[in-house]
Amino acid sequence: AQTVTQSQPEMSVQEAETVTLSCTYDTSESDYYLFWYKQPPSRQMILVIRQEAYKQQNATENRFSVNFQKAAKSFSLKISDSQLGDAAMYFCVVSSGGSNYKLTFGKGTLLTVNP
Amino acid sequence: GAVVSQHPSRVICKSGTSVKIECRSLDFQATTMFWYRQFPKKSLMLMATSNEGSKATYEQGVEKDKFLINHASLTLSTLTVTSAHPEDSSFYICSAPPTDLYGYTFGSGTRLTVV
């Protein structure tokens, strides 16, 4: 079984500042993937960033980057130069590898961006 | 990227009636579709996995007879909420496994209200 823990139910950040969202996980799989998805008020799930567990290099996607610590099973998301459009619920997600593809979601962190 | 079209986006039905929610993969074939339920300000809870050509796999605690899932073709999966009751009111989302390097594709969700 997989578990994902997001210890910050809510976070806020000033526009143009940097914020880090925390996530820890547990899995017995050796092959797995990690994602951060955002869900804005429209409730459409949008992929923010993806990390393959076998890759040591941290993934980056423009203003979004992760700090992946495999031994500690930690996968935090850093948002730089925060924008008003970044306001959303952010979910940390773990996917088992192989043919299962099941996703396990954290409870989410609601990010508010203050102008 | 891959697109999953989910309909309807909103539906209001009377208690005791049935409601069908459709998810179509528009530009790819989805042999598997995941169905989630999301309560307000909560995370996504996996209900079941549909597989084209075989029976759906339900998560523990999900009533198979209430939530009928059918994967009629490689591009269509449906969730039918039978004999709906107010407690079935929720946000339902479908998702297809990744077809490329990016991630899972989510439908836009269906807000079901049972009155």
Side-chain angles (χ1 to χ4, degrees):
Chain A
Q2 297 177 142
T3 60
V4 180
T5 302
Q6 292 180 250
S7 58
Q8 305 152 316
E10 297 185 21
M11 291 281 285
S12 64
V13 62
Q14 290 295 125
E15 196 175 3
E17 296 294 307
T18 296
V19 65
T20 299
L21 307 185
S22 302
C23 173
T24 58
Y25 64 93
D26 193 17
T27 180
S28 57
E29 303 281 344
S30 57
D31 176 23
Y32 58 94
Y33 300 84
L34 299 157
F35 305 87
W36 279 96
Y37 277 89
K38 66 181 278 189
Q39 188 180 39
S42 68
R43 303 194 78 170
Q44 173 71 58
M45 297 291 286
I46 300 168
L47 177 66
V48 175
I49 201 165
R50 158 190 170 132
Q51 173 83 42
E52 289 86 347
Y54 63 86
K55 289 187 177 180
Q56 292 187 341
Q57 186 174 5
N58 289 325
T60 62
E61 195 72 41
N62 300 316
R63 298 182 294 107
F64 300 88
S65 61
V66 298
N67 184 359
F68 175 44
Q69 301 290 327
K70 190 172 183 178
K73 295 184 178 177
S74 171
F75 184 61
S76 62
L77 174 69
K78 185 171 81 172
I79 306 174
S80 303
D81 185 25
S82 297
Q83 300 176 359
L84 295 177
D86 295 334
M89 179 72 87
Y90 285 79
F91 292 101
C92 179
V93 186
V94 176
S95 165
S96 58
S99 60
N100 192 334
Y101 293 119
K102 274 190 177 181
L103 295 179
T104 302
F105 286 78
K107 291 188 175 181
T109 296
L110 181 62
L111 179 66
T112 301
V113 181
N114 301 310
Chain B
V3 175
V4 171
S5 177
Q6 183 171 348
H7 292 281
S9 57
R10 291 175 179 265
V11 59
I12 300 173
C13 71
K14 291 184 177 181
S15 188
T17 62
S18 296
V19 173
K20 180 183 284 188
I21 301 169
E22 292 189 349
C23 277
R24 294 182 182 272
S25 54
L26 295 187
D27 48 2
F28 67 102
Q29 293 181 334
T31 57
T32 298
M33 193 74 74
F34 300 106
W35 287 92
Y36 297 90
R37 181 173 181 174
Q38 185 180 29
F39 291 101
K41 297 185 179 181
K42 298 292 185 181
S43 189
L44 278 68
M45 180 190 75
L46 180 65
M47 299 174 62
T49 304
S50 71
N51 299 287
E52 192 270 337
S54 62
K55 289 184 178 181
T57 303
Y58 290 82
E59 296 300 304
Q60 191 172 9
V62 177
E63 298 179 62
K64 299 179 183 180
D65 295 333
K66 167 163 280 295
F67 300 101
L68 298 180
I69 289 176
N70 183 263
H71 203 121
S73 71
L74 289 173
T75 59
L76 176 63
S77 177
T78 60
L79 165 66
T80 301
V81 183
T82 63
S83 186
H85 289 99
E87 56 265 31
D88 298 326
S89 298
S90 193
F91 193 70
Y92 294 88
I93 308 176
C94 61
S95 173
T99 59
D100 51 27
L101 295 176
Y102 295 103
Y104 292 70
T105 304
F106 288 84
S108 54
T110 298
R111 182 183 299 280
L112 170 64
T113 303
V114 183
V115 298

